[in-house]
Amino acid sequence: MLLQAGMLLPIHTQAAGLSDQALSERLNAAAALGSSLTPFGAERAGAETTGANSADWQQLPPWRGGLSFPPADFNGHLINPYRAEAPLALLTASSPESQLQWLGTGLRLWLQYHPEQTIRVYASHRTATAPFRILDQAYRNRVRLEPSPQGGFLYGHGAIPYPQPERGEQIIWNHLLAWRGTQDDYGLLERQRQNGEASVPWLWQVSEQWPWQQDVEHCGHACEGEQGHYSARLQSLMQRQWQLVQPQQGAPLIWKQQLYMQAGRPILDASIAGSWPVSDQTRMLGSAEVGLYSELPRDYLWSLLGKRMLLVPYNQYPSQDVVETMQGGEGVMDWQQLRFELHRVWVVDGVLRKNADNQYRKRVYYVDEDSWQIVMADLYGHDGSLQRVGLQFLYSDYRIPAMRTALQGILNVRNDDASWLLRTSW
């Protein structure tokens, strides 16, 4: 059962130095979590468009707890519960404005330059959820978590840091620490196309851990003890390792990334044994674009632009057919196998700070309000042009339950250059 105002909170609420009035205000605001809002802070209510041109897919159902149970024919292996559904609409560059208005800026521009492609639209399912202890933790974070002057935060643990965000960088923190489980080990296939030619397939073995999400009472050394969240000790938030399996080239190629918090100061430690193989020529996918954004928020000035209803990649379950097509073909994605749904997203605009170094001067992110993960990105070059669009196809792994990524794409808007990452084990 979710915590409500008046129930006991951890004693560390006092550590934030809150006055009785400030604590009362936070408790009153947090009371919306689990009532008018979902436990993670999304709008519980659905939305429906009106007008003579409204279609069946132009409506969003209310959140009813997400997807936490397998389908009836579950046999222990992940099954797509929506595999029998047919698309409700097929969008092309020549579709009417009443349909194209639901596309993000980058995806709509990409479609104009690729009139041969079709975006398949399906019924919307709000499948995002988490175990009860994680949902409860979002309430605790809303009451006791404090942003720090060093760009991080204090007195938080698990779920997402900001279930009721007020600033753009808070939403980026939610994305970085969104609930994806406590650990995940899986394979990835990477394919790129540049100037009409496909790269050889790259196969990665990925291991990810999120001590931030582990139960404080049971995670042991990884959490550095419960008091590690409220002292100057180093608090581990995330650990990620990519190891190249194929093709083999001399010494093993390994990329590691670790995220810490120390007294409210975030620390991102990244190391590469060898060179990042996919950014030397095409720069389509660098380490910063893993998950569409995997760096600290500090290099950009973030603005919160509000919410929109948009067609986004969603409930795209991993598929062996898609993997085999990309691995054996010419690195061209079959868009007939991709699924888009109408969902509410936060829109966050990031402009590169002066003296910061990044290939993108501006990033616009569309963040799923239910899971707090980035589902689309508009990436702008230093000349101000919209160069690339990023897509992250989420699916609900009801065995955990958690939202995870089946595939990710970064596409050049004006040509066929693209980089795809596909999950190969689930």
Side-chain angles (χ1 to χ4, degrees), residues 60 129 257 289 358 385:
L60 182 69
T129 191
Q257 190 182 50
E289 280 66 62
N358 195 280
S385 66

Side-chain angles (χ1 to χ4, degrees), residues 17 37 69 73 93 104 138 166 181 201 223 236 254 270 294 322 361 368 387 398 414 416 422:
L37 302 178
F69 295 98
D73 55 348
E166 298 176 351
C223 291
S236 177
I254 299 176
S294 61
V322 178
R361 181 179 179 273
D368 172 37
Q387 294 184 344
Y398 39 77
R414 292 169 178 82
D416 292 332
L422 296 87

Side-chain angles (χ1 to χ4, degrees), residues 268-290:
L268 184 65
D269 182 15
S271 62
I272 301 176
S275 61
W276 186 258
V278 297
S279 59
D280 294 340
Q281 296 181 357
T282 66
R283 299 282 291 174
M284 290 294 294
L285 176 66
S287 57
E289 280 66 62
V290 171

Side-chain angles (χ1 to χ4, degrees), residues 83-94:
R83 61 191 182 279
E85 291 187 353
L88 300 179
L90 305 176
L91 271 61
T92 67
S94 59

Side-chain angles (χ1 to χ4, degrees), residues 279-320:
S279 59
D280 294 340
Q281 296 181 357
T282 66
R283 299 282 291 174
M284 290 294 294
L285 176 66
S287 57
E289 280 66 62
V290 171
L292 294 185
Y293 192 74
S294 61
E295 298 288 317
L296 292 176
R298 63 190 176 197
D299 285 347
Y300 285 82
L301 181 62
W302 301 98
S303 299
L304 179 54
L305 304 184
K307 285 185 181 180
R308 289 186 63 185
M309 292 264 289
L310 287 178
L311 288 169
V312 298
Y314 219 89
N315 289 315
Q316 175 81 38
Y317 277 75
S319 166
Q320 192 63 36

